[in-house]
């Protein structure tokens, strides 16, 4: 139990009031009806202003006015609903390093409830043995209210008392809180059956329902495990260098600016920047990248990632509660509060379903005997069976358990979904709009081609081009210098008389001669006869017989014509390098397309996305070339931010639900306008995490098809769970009056079976994983 806010001031009618907030761990609160019971109990506490109950984590956050209520009152209210609160006012339960909590793992099969269930089951087995197999050895052992009790009856009564007590106790608390839930229904059924001497039915119901509850607890504990695994990614301690010594402290004690030491095989405890050392770091817990990323001085690292092989010293840039991992965990937990449309429908429907079936159960038990004279025993048992079927447990948990499974599975694979509503919406989009720069492309200019003319070499082009560009701060200059460095062109000449020619290029003097680096138009002004109209070639292929070193002016011109036309057709920016009398060569520069972009677009088409559109502010030629390369259905070029918003609106009008994928910063208006906004490369970026509905933590576009597939599959699983649970309940309800469904079948199939079924079906979502190779094979692997 953790105090999350203490005495937070609020203005109320001009008066300053105080409000406190406490987060409590309530492990047994593991279903929506449990949460409803707790909520009703808390609402009766004077001073409680707000409650946030999360059955999937077993936690309750309660806001209250400390002038009218105390923490003890809040705890007492929850216990008054029949649920144990772990910890207490002494705060004995500990808060995790990231400030989040979840109910601890339960010893389900050795718990007090389990022991009572096994004892009850044993007595039922012996009771059935004497009742039906050894009937001749089933003597009368007692008389109760003029009713003779056989040995078998006595065994059944013991089973009812031992296994039925927790059920009846839960039903008592439900009645106190006016909650028509499974505990009240089952408790009533057990008491009623026992009261009229149906010991076999009462004992069977008590034991089977207890077994069902244990199995459901086990299933919920498995679902909670996915959240626990997230929380366990970050270590609790860090090795910090203080006053020249290395000390081990709790991560909560480490301050921003301190240096932590991370050795091979250790987890990085906090977000930070490498200041010494180098290593390959496994960032899969944060970004979902399958391959370790090399880290050196100046590189950012994230809490929870694993240092593979080298020694690292990291300067801390965030506290434990504010790390990227902590934000991910917080958003995953908060996502459970945002109900999907299907979940809201289920909540509304269950409010009518249970009372209706309870009324039907009463009519079934009373009408045939009273009006038709049919046997009381038969119709009472059938009414009892309908009472069991009245519980909508499987129906109610069908959606939230699927949402939790899907969201936590996505988080482990580097995709942060900020609400069940967004998970559902992403799977229903009909069109996806993709930003170009930083999404389909890497967002960084790079030299793609170096083409020497005449007798010049590639090194000549880079030497003079990079030599002039040394004085420039343009992104193109950085790309050229990087390529020269990669090509081991290190003896760059020193330029002088540097001048920037606005809109055309640059010039500088090298070894007494003036060199130019710029657009083809600049060299045309210098008097070179470069072709005004470029004719398209096959990807820039050179015609047979025309070579770079042919030495003939006409052939050089034709060569340049073909090469430049081809490069421009591919959407690359071309700059020429030369003097007033000689063109040394050309350098092609482009924002490189991600290696995964084309296959990601193909995979989205395979998965059923109707329309994929590229939106970019880049020029028409570049946009067309990139669009053709990656295979989008259409592109829209030269768009300003407000025009991207208009494009999203047009797509929504034409296709319906639209997802927008961008960098989360420049594309914020379009992300907000789309049905679902997806931010690329959001790890460590606060703006991206805040603006988008879904964040791809790494710069990996292959996660987009995974996201769509997971969301689409989640929608299918939710539909399956809802209709399967309703269908089974309906079939059982029809079979009860016909005598085809017993109490045991109603419990085993209608309650226990369906609850386990929908939970198991939901857990299948955790087996869907990103396929970076895109083999097209079955995307589900063994968990």
């Amino acid at each position: 139990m953790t105090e999350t806010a203490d005495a937070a001031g609020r203005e109320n009618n001009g008066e300053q009031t105080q409000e406190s907030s406490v987060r409590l761990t309530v492990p047994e609160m593991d279903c929506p009806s449990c949460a409803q019971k707790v909520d009703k109990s808390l609402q009766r506490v004077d001073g409680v202003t707000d409650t946030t109950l999360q059955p999937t984590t077993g936690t309750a956050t309660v806001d209250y006015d400390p002038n009218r209520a105390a923490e003890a009152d809040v705890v007492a209210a929850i216990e008054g609903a029949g649920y144990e609160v772990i910890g207490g006012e002494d705060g004995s339960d500990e808060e995790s390093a990231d400030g989040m909590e979840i109910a601890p793992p339960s010893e389900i099969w050795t718990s007090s409830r389990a022991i009572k269930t096994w004892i009850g089951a044993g007595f039922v087995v012996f009771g059935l043995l004497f009742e039906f197999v050894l009937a001749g050895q089933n003597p009368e052992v007692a008389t109760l209210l003029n009713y003779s009790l056989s040995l078998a009856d006595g065994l059944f009564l013991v089973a009812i008392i031992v296994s039925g007590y927790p059920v009846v106790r839960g039903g008592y608390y439900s009645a106190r809180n006016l909650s028509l839930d499974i505990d009240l229904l089952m408790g009533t059924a057990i008491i009623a059956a026992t009261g009229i001497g149906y010991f076999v039915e009462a004992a069977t119901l008590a034991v089977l329902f207890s077994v069902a509850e244990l199995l459901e607890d086990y299933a919920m504990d498995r679902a909670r495990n996915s959240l626990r695994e997230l929380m366990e990614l970050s270590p609790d301690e860090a090795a910090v260098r203080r006053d020249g010594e290395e000390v081990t402290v709790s991560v909560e004690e480490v301050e921003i600016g301190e240096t932590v030491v991370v050795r091979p095989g250790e987890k990085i405890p906090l977000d930070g920047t490498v200041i010494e050392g180098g290593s390959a770091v496994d960032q899969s817990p944060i970004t979902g990248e399958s391959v370790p990323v090399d880290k050196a001085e100046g590189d950012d690292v994230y809490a929870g990632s694993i240092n593979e092989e080298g020694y690292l010293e990291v300067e801390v840039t965030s506290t434990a509660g504010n790390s990227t991992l902590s934000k991910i965990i917080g958003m995953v937990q908060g996502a459970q509060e945002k109900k999907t449309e299907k979940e809201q429908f289920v909540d509304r429907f269950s409010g009518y379903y249970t009372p209706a079936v309870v009324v039907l159960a009463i009519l079934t038990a009373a009408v045939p005997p009273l009006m038709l004279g049919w046997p009381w025993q038969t119709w009472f048992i059938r009414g009892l069976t309908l009472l069991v079927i009245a519980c909508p447990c499987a129906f109610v948990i069908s959606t939230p358990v699927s949402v939790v499974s899907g969201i936590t599975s996505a988080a482990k694979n580097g995709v942060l979904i900020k609400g069940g509503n967004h998970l559902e919406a992403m799977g229903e989009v009909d069109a996806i709009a993709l930003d170009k720069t930083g999404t389909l492309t890497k967002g960084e200019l790079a030299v793609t081609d170096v083409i020497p003319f005449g007798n010049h070499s590639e090194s000549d082009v880079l030497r003079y081009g990079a030599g002039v560009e040394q004085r420039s701060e343009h992104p193109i200059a950085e790309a050229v210098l990087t390529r020269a460095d990669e090509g081991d062109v290190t003896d760059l000449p020193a330029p002088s008389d540097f001048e920037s020619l606005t809109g055309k290029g640059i010039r500088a003097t090298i070894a007494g001669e003036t060199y130019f680096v710029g657009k083809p138009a600049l060299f045309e002004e210098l008097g070179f006869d470069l072709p005004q109209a470029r004719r398209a070639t096959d990807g820039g292929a050179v015609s047979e017989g025309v070579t770079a070193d042919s030495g003939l002016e006409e052939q050089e011109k034709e060569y340049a014509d073909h090469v430049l036309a081809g490069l421009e057709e591919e959407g690359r920016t071309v700059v020429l390098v030369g003097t007033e009398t000689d063109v040394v060569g050309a350098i092609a520069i482009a924002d490189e397309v991600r290696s995964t972009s084309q296959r990601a677009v193909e995979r989205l088409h395979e998965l059923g996305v109707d329309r994929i559109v590229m939106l970019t502010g880049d020029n028409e030629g570049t946009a067309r070339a990139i669009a053709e390369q990656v295979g989008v259905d259409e592109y829209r070029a030269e768009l300003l931010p407000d025009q991207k918003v208009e494009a999203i609106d047009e797509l929504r009008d034409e296709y319906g639900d639209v997802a927008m994928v961008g960098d989360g910063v420049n594309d914020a208006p379009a992300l907000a306008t789309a049905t679902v906004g997806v931010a690329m490369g959001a790890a460590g970026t606060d703006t991206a995490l805040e603006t988008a509905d879904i964040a791809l933590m790494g710069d990996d576009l292959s996660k987009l098809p995974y996201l769509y597939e997971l969301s689409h599959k989640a929608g299918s699983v939710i539909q399956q769970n809802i209709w399967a649970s309703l269908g089974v309940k309906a079939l059982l309800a029809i079979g009860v009056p016909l005598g085809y469904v017993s109490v045991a079948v109603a419990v085993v199939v209608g309650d226990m079976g369906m609850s386990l079924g929908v939970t198991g079906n939901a857990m299948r979502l955790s087996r869907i994983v990103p396929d970076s190779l895109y083999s097209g094979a079955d995307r589900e692997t063994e968990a």
Side-chain angles (χ1 to χ4, degrees):
M1 178 177 62
T2 305
E3 197 78 19
T4 57
D6 188 19
R10 282 194 175 184
E11 197 73 28
N12 185 17
N13 295 326
E15 297 182 2
Q16 187 75 10
T17 61
Q18 301 293 316
E19 183 174 281
S20 291
S21 179
V22 64
R23 186 185 298 121
L24 306 167
T25 304
V26 190
E28 296 175 356
M29 185 184 68
D30 55 11
C31 65
S33 63
C34 303
Q36 183 182 48
K37 195 188 307 183
V38 171
D39 186 57
K40 288 183 177 180
S41 183
L42 286 169
Q43 294 310 317
R44 289 199 294 270
V45 178
D46 180 40
V48 170
T49 57
D50 190 31
T51 60
T52 301
L53 307 176
Q54 296 183 322
T56 48
T57 59
T59 58
T61 302
V62 183
D63 298 333
Y64 63 94
D65 181 353
N67 295 321
R68 292 186 291 154
E71 184 180 311
D73 299 325
V74 174
V75 173
I78 296 176
E79 291 177 342
Y83 298 98
E84 178 187 8
V85 176
I86 288 185
E89 289 186 274
D90 60 356
S92 56
D93 60 316
E94 296 182 0
E95 185 179 11
S96 63
D98 49 35
M100 302 301 166
E101 283 187 358
I102 189 170
S106 302
E107 299 295 333
I108 295 169
W109 306 116
T110 57
S111 64
S112 173
R113 176 74 177 268
I115 292 172
K116 292 175 182 177
T117 300
W118 309 141
I119 293 173
F123 278 98
V124 166
V125 169
F126 282 110
L128 292 173
L129 182 65
F130 283 104
E131 181 77 15
F132 299 106
V133 179
L134 303 176
Q137 303 176 37
N138 185 26
E140 179 180 328
V141 294
T143 301
L144 181 64
L145 300 176
N146 296 322
Y147 184 87
S148 298
L149 297 178
S150 66
L151 176 60
D153 292 334
L155 294 171
F156 290 136
L157 278 173
V158 174
I160 293 168
I161 293 170
V162 175
S163 295
Y165 170 75
V167 183
V168 175
R169 178 180 177 273
Y172 162 74
Y173 284 112
S174 298
R176 277 185 53 181
N177 291 282
L178 303 178
S179 179
L180 186 61
D181 61 10
I182 184 65
D183 288 331
L184 180 58
L185 295 175
M186 293 297 185
T188 301
I190 291 170
I191 292 174
T194 304
I196 61 173
Y198 292 170
F199 302 134
V200 176
E201 289 78 6
T204 303
L205 179 57
V207 170
L208 287 178
F209 178 67
S210 292
V211 172
E213 289 289 278
L214 291 173
L215 288 170
E216 288 173 18
D217 289 345
Y218 172 71
M220 178 56 71
D221 199 57
R222 281 194 61 196
R224 289 175 177 174
N225 269 339
S226 58
L227 284 173
R228 292 191 192 104
E229 289 171 4
L230 274 179
M231 295 175 63
E232 291 170 358
L233 288 175
S234 181
D236 297 325
E237 296 180 332
V240 186
R241 180 158 290 145
R242 291 176 176 173
D243 299 326
E245 296 183 1
E246 186 179 313
V247 295
T248 301
V249 300
S250 167
V251 291
E252 296 174 325
E253 299 176 19
V254 182
E255 298 179 358
I256 293 175
E258 290 197 282
T259 300
V260 297
V261 175
V262 188
R263 292 180 171 80
E266 294 181 347
K267 290 182 179 179
I268 295 172
L270 296 157
D271 287 3
T273 302
V274 177
I275 58 174
E276 184 177 330
S279 179
V281 175
D282 178 4
Q283 296 188 153
S284 59
I286 307 300
T287 65
E289 294 167 289
S290 58
V291 179
V293 179
D294 290 334
K295 298 290 182 178
E297 292 182 22
D299 291 335
D300 293 330
V301 291
Y302 307 112
S305 52
I306 303 167
N307 181 17
E308 292 279 333
E309 54 191 24
Y311 171 86
L312 295 175
E313 290 189 8
V314 177
E315 182 178 336
V316 175
T317 58
S318 72
T319 58
N322 199 41
S323 68
T324 301
L325 178 60
S326 297
K327 292 173 185 175
I328 292 173
I329 295 171
M331 288 180 179
V332 169
Q333 290 190 318
Q336 301 164 47
E337 301 172 25
K338 302 175 183 178
K339 293 186 176 182
T340 67
E341 291 183 7
K342 293 184 179 71
E343 197 168 358
Q344 295 173 25
F345 160 74
V346 166
D347 288 345
R348 292 192 301 269
F349 184 85
S350 62
Y352 296 102
Y353 167 82
T354 300
V357 179
V358 168
V359 170
L360 180 61
I362 295 172
L363 293 176
T364 299
V367 171
L370 289 175
M371 299 187 65
L372 303 176
W374 292 354
W376 275 98
Q377 179 176 357
T378 299
W379 289 96
F380 178 82
I381 294 298
R382 292 177 181 178
L384 197 69
T385 306
L386 276 175
L387 203 62
V388 173
I389 294 172
C391 173
C393 233
F395 178 59
V396 171
I397 69 171
S398 60
T399 300
V401 73
S402 302
V403 168
V404 170
S405 179
I407 289 177
T408 53
S409 174
K412 293 176 188 176
N413 287 292
V415 179
L416 178 58
I417 303 174
K418 295 164 65 175
N421 50 338
H422 304 312
L423 174 70
E424 183 178 69
M426 185 65 200
E428 297 175 352
V429 298
D430 303 299
I432 295 178
L434 300 167
D435 175 51
K436 180 185 79 69
T437 305
T439 301
L440 289 170
T441 66
K442 295 180 179 179
E444 300 175 356
L445 291 180
V447 173
T448 59
D449 301 88
V450 179
I451 305 101
F453 292 159
N455 293 320
H456 297 291
S457 66
E458 184 175 311
S459 294
D460 292 336
V461 180
L462 288 174
R463 179 176 293 106
Y464 291 112
V468 175
E469 294 283 14
Q470 288 180 94
R471 296 289 182 88
S472 175
E473 296 181 356
H474 195 279
I476 287 179
E478 183 179 350
V480 173
L481 289 167
T482 299
R483 177 59 180 268
D485 183 60
E486 292 173 351
D488 293 328
V489 180
T490 56
D491 54 337
L492 298 181
S496 61
D497 301 326
F498 176 86
E499 182 181 357
S500 175
L501 306 174
T502 305
K504 300 176 183 179
I506 57 177
R507 70 181 174 191
T509 300
I510 294 177
E513 188 170 10
T514 301
Y515 279 83
F516 297 85
V517 178
K519 296 179 178 179
L522 171 62
F523 283 81
E524 289 171 355
E525 290 182 6
L526 293 175
F528 289 91
D529 184 19
L530 296 175
Q532 294 292 329
R534 311 293 183 197
R535 60 179 181 272
T537 65
D538 183 14
V542 182
S543 299
E544 185 177 355
V546 181
T547 62
D549 56 356
S550 58
L552 298 178
E553 182 179 346
E554 186 61 32
Q555 288 178 316
E556 288 179 20
K557 179 176 177 296
E558 186 178 352
Y559 173 75
D561 187 359
H562 279 279
V563 170
L564 297 185
L567 293 173
E568 291 179 349
E569 186 69 22
E570 293 172 359
R572 302 178 189 182
T573 299
V574 177
V575 296
L576 299 179
V577 179
T579 66
E580 293 179 343
T581 59
D582 182 32
V583 180
V584 178
I587 299 175
I589 299 166
D591 181 5
E592 288 187 283
V593 175
R594 296 181 187 276
S595 60
T596 56
S597 294
Q598 182 178 359
R599 183 54 189 148
V601 171
E602 290 177 358
R603 182 61 181 159
L604 287 170
H605 279 133
E606 292 170 2
L607 292 170
V609 179
D610 294 336
R611 199 74 173 170
I612 300 177
V613 182
M614 184 183 78
L615 306 180
T616 179
D618 217 330
N619 63 73
E620 177 77 16
T622 300
R624 180 176 61 254
I626 298 297
E628 291 175 354
Q629 184 175 347
V630 301
V632 296
D633 298 305
E634 65 175 285
Y635 67 90
R636 303 188 185 188
E638 302 178 10
L639 299 179
L640 297 173
D642 60 324
Q643 292 173 317
K644 285 188 178 183
V645 172
E646 293 174 5
I648 294 295
D649 286 333
E650 291 172 6
L651 289 171
R652 293 185 72 167
D653 291 340
E654 185 173 357
Y655 296 102
D657 293 335
V658 177
M660 171 67 191
V661 186
D663 62 11
V665 181
N666 299 328
D667 298 307
L671 289 170
T673 303
T675 309
V676 183
V678 182
M680 280 281 294
T685 306
D686 291 340
T687 304
L689 287 173
E690 292 168 3
T691 57
D693 303 316
I694 299 173
L696 307 183
M697 302 305 291
D699 285 324
D700 186 359
L701 197 62
S702 68
K703 297 297 174 64
L704 187 60
Y706 159 74
L707 167 63
Y708 179 79
E709 183 178 12
L710 176 70
S711 300
H712 190 71
K713 187 81 170 186
S716 299
V717 166
I718 290 172
Q719 292 273 19
Q720 293 164 11
N721 284 349
I722 290 175
W723 295 114
S725 54
L726 279 179
V728 169
K729 292 280 189 182
L731 287 174
L732 291 174
I734 293 171
V736 168
L738 301 177
Y740 295 133
V741 178
S742 65
V743 172
V745 171
V747 174
V748 172
V749 178
D751 182 58
M752 175 175 63
M754 284 312 304
S755 293
L756 291 176
V758 298
T759 302
N761 194 33
M763 296 305 288
R764 288 194 303 122
L765 294 175
S766 64
R767 299 203 299 265
I768 299 176
V769 297
D771 184 357
S772 59
L773 298 179
Y774 291 103
S775 62
D778 187 1
R779 299 293 298 272
E780 290 192 14
T781 62
E782 288 302 319

